[in-house]
Amino acid sequence: MLQLVVGPRIRKSPYFDRSLAAGATHFSIYNQTYLPLGYGDPIGEYWNLVERVTLWDVAAERQVEITGPDASAFVQYLTGRNLSKFVVGQCKYAPMCDYEGRLVNDPIITKLADDRYWLSRADGDLLRWARAIAGARGFDIGCVDPDTGPLAIQGPQADDLAAAAFGEWVRDIRFFRFEEARVGAGIPVIVARSGWSKQGGFEVYLLDRTRAHELWDLIVESGAAFDLGFGGPNPIERIESNLLSCGVDNDDRANPFEVRLGGYIDLEMDADFVGRDALAEIVAGGVERELMGVFLEGDDADLTAPWPAFAGTEPVGSVRAAARSPRLDRTIGLALLGVAHAGVGTELRVETEAGPRAATVTDLPFIP
Ligand code: THG
């Protein structure tokens, strides 16, 4: 049986003990941090998210804090997303690429002040990437990991729960906006309306790590009236909704146009950014691959590595992630496919751990 060693190499979230006490059994490692993904009831956790409300310890979404006179120019240089209308109090999802246009990370950027940003990073080494680019290009910035990560409250009852726990004011926070506040007995937090699901809800960044248990307990106590469940970033709902899992859905040469993030890249803006020339060339030449949905034959969705996909005997790409969808009652997946075989309705064969399966290409998202 696989066991994880709990030691100093991998960081603990400030909620680590609370997650364990709440029954977390399944952990991943993300940004060198234990990330609780499951509590032993994946289908129940899915329905809690889709029909009720659920609490996730996503402190593994570590922040890269950028400060200083060049902060705004530097953050813009890291991403092809146009940040010219970015205001304090706002968050923006922002794919970041290398100089070849390959996707490096896809953080949410939080604008705390005109000279202070957080990049809420996906798994990967964005801290060192940012430091290397700043050093090489001579940007006058500070770049640190402030040791704060979000707790996510997600699901259709998230507003009611957050209002009960923090106050009615949270209802007025708009999508991808945030408020800084003190909650409970003065716990300093930032509450943003964001999260890695399409079920609605908030992310709460704790500004004083010593008060993590207090914050967790405040939410859990308020949750008793709302059937609050525990969970983690949900591998079923995110496939249904087509939220990118960076490093899973894309391989290390994929560009944003191949994985449906092209809409976040502005090649018309004045500002320069890492990968701009390469991305312009990719657009001019057309992409080679495309991330598509697939319907898979059978119930099996236990994918431990990408499943190779074939058209006849020709390799055409791979299924990157799969799940049994309770709402569709079908097995669904995300596949990165050569464009010649990415058309809706294309029939493919997929080599799963349990043997070959038929697959049919379909559009995304599975559930709008
Ligand atoms: N929360 C925080 N940090 C994160 C994630 C998160 N860092 C890593 C990872 N998740 C980033 N991935 C995504 C992917 C999609 C979205 C958020 C994070 C998302 N997108 C909106 C949508 O698809 O509707 C669009 C947002 C926009 O228009 O700017 O929500 O979950 N803190």
Side-chain angles (χ1 to χ4, degrees), residues 61 81 93 106 108 120 122 176 196 198 203 205 243 264:
E61 290 162 353
R81 179 123 194 216
Y93 180 50
D106 68 336
I108 292 175
S120 183
F176 267 55
W196 203 59
K198 289 281 188 188
E203 293 184 304
Y205 300 82
L243 288 166
Y264 296 105

Side-chain angles (χ1 to χ4, degrees), residues 80-142:
R81 179 123 194 216
N82 187 336
L83 303 181
S84 60
K85 298 199 172 75
F86 203 3
V87 297
V88 174
Q90 196 176 9
C91 315
K92 277 185 191 275
Y93 180 50
M96 297 184 173
C97 298
D98 66 17
Y99 287 95
E100 308 297 324
R102 294 173 295 222
L103 189 61
V104 169
N105 206 293
D106 68 336
I108 292 175
I109 309 176
T110 297
K111 184 164 182 172
L112 299 159
D114 285 321
D115 59 357
R116 185 162 171 246
Y117 295 83
W118 281 350
L119 317 182
S120 183
R121 63 201 198 252
D123 186 41
D125 221 331
L126 192 63
L127 179 71
R128 287 183 180 83
W129 173 256
R131 285 176 173 173
I133 301 287
R137 297 276 156 166
F139 284 98
D140 183 5
I141 58 145

Side-chain angles (χ1 to χ4, degrees), residues 10 28 60 117 126 131 134 144 153 162 169 171 179 194 209 251 255 259 281 288 295 313 317 321 324 330 365:
I10 309 299
S28 187
Y117 295 83
L126 192 63
R131 285 176 173 173
V144 297
I153 302 170
W169 56 272
R171 295 185 193 275
E179 291 287 341
S194 56
R209 185 182 168 114
D251 56 18
N255 66 63
V259 296
E281 254 177 63
E288 290 170 14
F295 288 119
T313 55
R324 184 76 194 170
R330 295 184 83 166

Side-chain angles (χ1 to χ4, degrees), residues 158-159 162-164 166-174 191 193 202:
D159 272 56
F166 304 150
E168 289 295 317
W169 56 272
V170 298
R171 295 185 193 275
D172 296 329
I173 302 174
R174 288 185 283 148
V191 182
R193 190 182 288 277
F202 300 94

